[in-house]
Amino acid sequence: MEKLRRVLSGQDDEEQGLTAQVLDASSLSFNTRLKWFAICFASGIVFSILGTGLLWLPGGIKLFAVFYTLGNIAALASTCFLMGPVKQLKKMFETTRLLATIVMLLCFILTLCAALWWHKKGLALLFCILQFLSMTWYSLSYIPYARDAVIKCCSSLLS
């Protein structure tokens, strides 16, 4: 609607910058965004479950690492459909979630490196566990006071 308003008022430029193109590309209807969010999130869950099932096959650690990582990436990318890719990236790199985002992205890369190039099964499994923990910590950053509650729970369990 906003784009139509700009065209009708004569404010629409022929050439748009990259940021404007990305923002326009994310101007899908709410129903479309919701459908693609569900598709992407569900495929992420399917990839993760499929990877977990492949873990028990001989030599399945590589497939597990790849499918589990793809599942987490798909689940993370699904939120781009709800809030748009630029806003998603801005929120990911806010100071409250910067460390969790960096650890999570590093775990994605290190998991794939350990499984596919270094051929270290134990390391790949360790990075998958760290992936899970970093994704959980990242997700908790969107829930008010959730991180504080988890810290208090863990500290009370340890003391």
Side-chain angles (χ1 to χ4, degrees):
M1 192 65 164
E2 181 63 31
K3 188 172 182 177
L4 179 63
R5 218 177 285 145
R6 284 193 318 246
V7 170
L8 292 176
S9 66
Q11 296 174 352
D12 192 31
D13 295 335
E14 286 296 319
E15 288 191 319
Q16 295 179 334
L18 178 63
T19 307
Q21 288 176 359
V22 170
L23 289 173
D24 281 345
S26 66
S27 61
L28 303 170
S29 72
F30 181 72
N31 285 337
T32 305
R33 285 177 184 243
L34 203 55
K35 287 175 189 173
W36 279 105
F37 164 76
I39 290 168
C40 203
F41 191 75
S43 68
I45 291 171
V46 168
F47 279 151
S48 294
I49 291 171
L50 180 64
T52 304
L54 293 171
L55 178 63
W56 309 112
L57 295 177
I61 190 72
K62 286 183 184 179
L63 292 173
F64 165 69
V66 170
F67 278 99
Y68 187 75
T69 302
L70 287 177
N72 281 338
I73 291 171
L76 182 65
S78 68
T79 57
C80 287
F81 288 105
L82 291 181
M83 60 175 104
V86 174
K87 190 173 180 182
Q88 170 73 18
L89 287 173
K90 284 181 183 177
K91 284 190 171 283
M92 283 177 70
F93 290 98
E94 286 178 351
T95 56
T96 56
R97 20 190 109 76
L98 181 63
L99 183 62
T101 300
I102 291 171
V103 170
M104 179 181 58
L105 295 175
L106 274 175
C107 286
F108 290 162
I109 294 166
L110 292 173
T111 300
L112 294 176
C113 287
L116 301 176
W117 291 286
W118 303 335
H119 304 289
K120 303 287 184 184
K121 295 177 183 178
L123 203 54
L125 195 57
L126 174 68
F127 287 133
C128 283
I129 293 168
L130 291 175
Q131 247 186 74
F132 172 77
L133 294 173
S134 63
M135 283 284 288
T136 302
W137 192 251
Y138 171 79
S139 299
L140 287 174
S141 71
Y142 285 96
I143 303 169
Y145 304 107
R147 285 179 168 180
D148 294 335
V150 169
I151 290 172
K152 285 180 184 177
C153 266
C154 290
S155 63
S156 69
L157 288 173
L158 294 175
S159 61

